[in-house]
Amino acid sequence: MKTRAITAFFFTIVMLASLLEAYTFSAFYLLLSLVALLEFYKMVKIGGIRPHRNIGVAVAALIFLTTAAYHFFQFELKYLLLIIPLVFSVFIAELYKKNKIPFANISYTFVGFIYITVPFCFFYSLGFIIDFETYSFHFPLAFLLMLWANDTGAYLFGMKLGKRKLFERHSPKKSWEGFFGGVFTSLVVSIIISFQFTEVEPIVWAGMATIISSFGTLGDLVESMLKRSLEVKDSGSFLPGHGGFLDRFDGLLIAAPIVYVYLYLLVH
């Protein structure tokens, strides 16, 4: 427990510091998304799948860098089309492998950057949601605070009051009481945030909190489903007491794209 707390404290400090400046934010989340993708590819190898890791990482890096270039230099997103030949090179590369399940290897290569890289790009773009060319740390910071509040509230309420199982097949410890406790805690944090960040109305922050709690929980369940299907406990061991980076950001993967669409429709 002590190791877990120390790890959480120092990693939180690093994450918050990375939000303060646009280029640091870009570099940190590019690296984080690639490490999470490598964890994913390493996990699926346990199940006998052999994804094209190098091609997947190259595609992921180009997707993220193109997103960053769009915000910093007004780089047109049509240049993402240049990634298409690299994406389809996976099929050609598989021809030279001797594997009984070639399309499983191809599929998991694609799933990696769709499941991990694309959501990280949406989270990254929250920093430019008000003005596509000007960075602000307000929305990424608010997202993380609400996500952490949800996780903390779900854990505490679940421990004290949890009786009704939320989705026992994939996560036996989660309860409906914990889920609603997480939503409540996240909403409280959204109210506090609304006094500090005034870009949008308090009701918009509250909606964001509700989406993060709901889809963040689903993201957690999806990763649990993945790990159970592969019979692994953690996505990695880089964070003592916490597992891997993918374990720490599973809620972000489903919630970030939904939050971005929600805010985009409301502020533009």
Side-chain angles (χ1 to χ4, degrees), residues 153-186:
Y155 175 77
L156 294 177
F157 278 84
M159 286 287 290
K160 293 291 184 181
L161 305 172
K163 293 181 180 179
R164 299 171 181 84
K165 299 298 182 182
L166 177 64
F167 214 127
E168 190 170 9
R169 181 156 53 95
H170 294 304
S171 187
K173 294 182 179 180
K174 289 190 182 299
S175 65
W176 280 105
E177 292 83 0
F179 169 72
F180 287 114
V183 174
F184 170 76
T185 310
S186 192

Side-chain angles (χ1 to χ4, degrees), residues 24-173:
T24 305
F25 177 62
S26 303
F28 182 80
Y29 280 92
L30 168 62
L31 179 61
L32 193 60
S33 65
L34 293 179
V35 171
L37 180 61
L38 287 170
E39 287 185 347
F40 173 82
Y41 286 148
K42 184 178 179 180
M43 272 201 304
V44 299
K45 285 184 71 175
I46 296 173
I49 310 297
R50 294 294 182 268
H52 296 266
R53 186 187 64 181
N54 294 339
I55 296 176
V57 170
V59 170
L62 286 173
I63 291 173
F64 195 100
L65 289 171
T66 303
T67 304
Y70 168 71
H71 292 301
F72 280 104
F73 311 114
Q74 294 74 62
F75 193 74
E76 293 187 34
L77 290 179
K78 68 181 181 181
Y79 291 108
L80 277 172
L81 294 173
L82 297 174
I83 298 173
I84 290 177
L86 183 59
V87 169
F88 282 89
S89 69
V90 173
F91 292 92
I92 299 171
E94 190 62 36
L95 288 173
Y96 295 92
K97 280 189 171 184
K98 296 179 180 180
N99 199 295
K100 294 181 179 179
I101 48 173
F103 276 86
N105 298 337
I106 293 168
S107 299
Y108 273 96
T109 303
F110 290 165
V111 168
F113 51 80
I114 293 170
Y115 173 51
I116 295 167
T117 307
V118 172
F120 267 104
C121 287
F122 276 109
F123 173 75
Y124 173 79
S125 293
L126 288 176
F128 304 86
I129 191 72
I130 297 297
D131 182 345
F132 291 157
E133 300 173 13
T134 305
Y135 173 69
S136 170
F137 67 85
H138 289 184
F139 284 98
L141 175 60
F143 183 101
L144 291 176
L145 292 177
M146 292 177 194
L147 184 64
W148 294 338
N150 174 70
D151 292 345
T152 303
Y155 175 77
L156 294 177
F157 278 84
M159 286 287 290
K160 293 291 184 181
L161 305 172
K163 293 181 180 179
R164 299 171 181 84
K165 299 298 182 182
L166 177 64
F167 214 127
E168 190 170 9
R169 181 156 53 95
H170 294 304
S171 187
K173 294 182 179 180

